[in-house]
Every structure is written in C-alpha cells, then in structure tokens.
Amino acid sequence: MFAMLGNSILMTQYLQSVLGYSPLRAALWSLAPTVVVGAVAPLAAVAANRAGRPAVIVAGLLVGAAGFVVLASSTGIHTLLPVLVGATLLAAGIVAATSMIADYVVGVAPADRAGATSGLLETTSELGGALGIAVLGSIVNVVFRTNLTDAGFDGEQPRTLTGALAAAHHLPADRAGTAIDAARVAFVDGLTAAAWAGAAALVLTAALAVWGLRDRPQKRTDSVDDGVAPATHH
C-alpha cells in the first residue's frame, strides 16, 4: 500500500500537470490498468495452489518493483504508454501480493483473534498508504525544488509544480513556455527518484518476505469430527 497509494497520487498529478490532461481524461487513463489488474487476484489464487502463497507474495512484490523500474527509466514530459505499463505492473504485483497476504495472515491467526487480525491488516494498509504519500511525495518535492534552478521565474522559486505553472502565466510569453518545461522536467526528475525509492522498498520487502515466510507451515483450520486429535505439526 505504501507503493501503490503513494504512486497513484503522483501519477494523477503527472497526468494533469505534466501531460496537461483534464481531470476527467486523467481519471479515464488511470482506469486503463484495471483491465489487467482485475484478472490478477483470481490468477494469484490459482498460482498459490500450485506454488504456495509465499512464492506468490514474493513474486508480486518483485513485479511491483519492476513497475517502478519502468516508471523510473521511461517517464518523460511527453510519455504516456510507459507510465501506463509501469503503473499496470505495479498495481498487478501489489494486488497479487496483498490478496495473498490477507489470506495468509488471517489463515494462520488463531480463530479467537481473527477479528483483531483483520483490524490489524486494515490499520497497516491505511498506515502504509499514508506513509507512501508522505515519503514518496516528499522525495518528489525535494528533487523538484533542488532541480528547479535558473528556470526564469521572477522572485522566489515556486515550491510545487502547481505553483510553478501558476507563476508561469504571469511571465512574458517568450519566457513562460521555457519556465513551464523546466518545471515539468524538474517534477519528472522527482518522480524518477521516488520510483527508484519505491522499487528499493519493494525489493527489500520481498527479501524480508522470503526470510519471514521460510519454512512456515500453513495453519490447519479443518475441524475434527471423529473425536481424534489432529496430528502435531512442526
């Protein structure tokens, strides 16, 4: 959720402020990845039956990291297709991982703690999303402010892309276009840095998942109707 929500906020701003799309057009393009993502959860369940949930969790995190790599290496001020491909890979990987994580965590929790476990999952999802927006957004903003130098703005340099676009409208026509392009390039530089940070976070999470899920048995939840105690699993 750190990766997916953090990136979705930035991609919305990219579509509107960098590519210049209207809110409606940006929203429609944002829906494009759902065509692929909608089929991921059922396919993840099928893959989990064959390879196990831990393998699907790790694979999903790595696919999400690959999506960030596509975004980091291909995003420019006039690109759309690479952004859609990267966002699709990211969303598909995260959906596969989170669906298996929820199934795994609730499955291994004691029956009397199922409610608390579900609440913990929801809380961590909200926390992860908030941290993603804050951390990735901060990376974009720091890089943007650092790289937006000598862009031709009068007075104090704008602190955000929206502020830069607004300030450019008050410049002479021969300077406004150059200032807008400089602001958009600086924002894309920030997106690139944030995407690399997101990819690193997902790779690290995948490594932690490999370590944390090693040799972990599945919790047996089938009831015993014949009065015979289930065998002890080590």
Side-chain angles (χ1 to χ4, degrees), residues 15-224:
L15 291 173
Q16 295 186 49
S17 298
V18 176
L19 298 186
Y21 293 168
S22 66
L24 176 59
R25 187 180 180 187
L28 292 176
W29 277 117
S30 297
L31 290 175
T34 62
V35 176
V36 175
V37 174
V40 167
L43 292 176
V46 173
N49 288 333
R50 297 186 177 184
R53 285 177 293 192
V56 176
I57 291 172
V58 173
L61 292 169
L62 293 178
V63 169
F68 267 133
V69 171
V70 172
L71 291 172
S73 58
S74 304
T75 302
I77 63 173
H78 300 296
T79 57
L80 175 61
L81 182 59
V83 170
L84 294 180
V85 172
T88 299
L89 288 173
L90 174 61
I94 297 304
V95 167
T98 54
S99 62
M100 291 298 102
I101 289 169
D103 183 56
Y104 182 86
V105 172
V106 173
V108 299
D112 59 344
R113 301 294 299 277
T117 303
S118 298
L120 177 63
L121 279 173
E122 180 64 23
T123 300
T124 54
S125 295
E126 296 293 337
L127 176 62
L131 287 175
I133 294 171
V135 174
L136 297 183
S138 295
I139 292 173
V140 171
N141 188 253
V142 168
V143 175
F144 173 82
R145 292 169 60 183
T146 301
N147 290 4
L148 189 65
T149 57
D150 300 327
F153 291 99
D154 295 328
E156 183 179 359
Q157 293 288 336
R159 302 171 66 87
T160 64
L161 177 58
T162 303
L165 297 179
H169 289 298
H170 300 286
L171 297 174
D174 59 336
R175 294 168 52 195
T178 301
I180 289 174
D181 285 344
R184 288 172 172 169
V185 169
F187 183 80
V188 169
D189 290 341
L191 284 180
T192 299
W196 284 120
L202 288 181
V203 170
L204 176 60
T205 305
L208 291 173
V210 170
W211 176 81
L213 297 175
R214 68 191 191 286
D215 300 326
R216 294 295 177 91
Q218 302 283 340
K219 179 179 176 60
R220 290 192 57 174
T221 57
D222 47 323
S223 59
V224 179

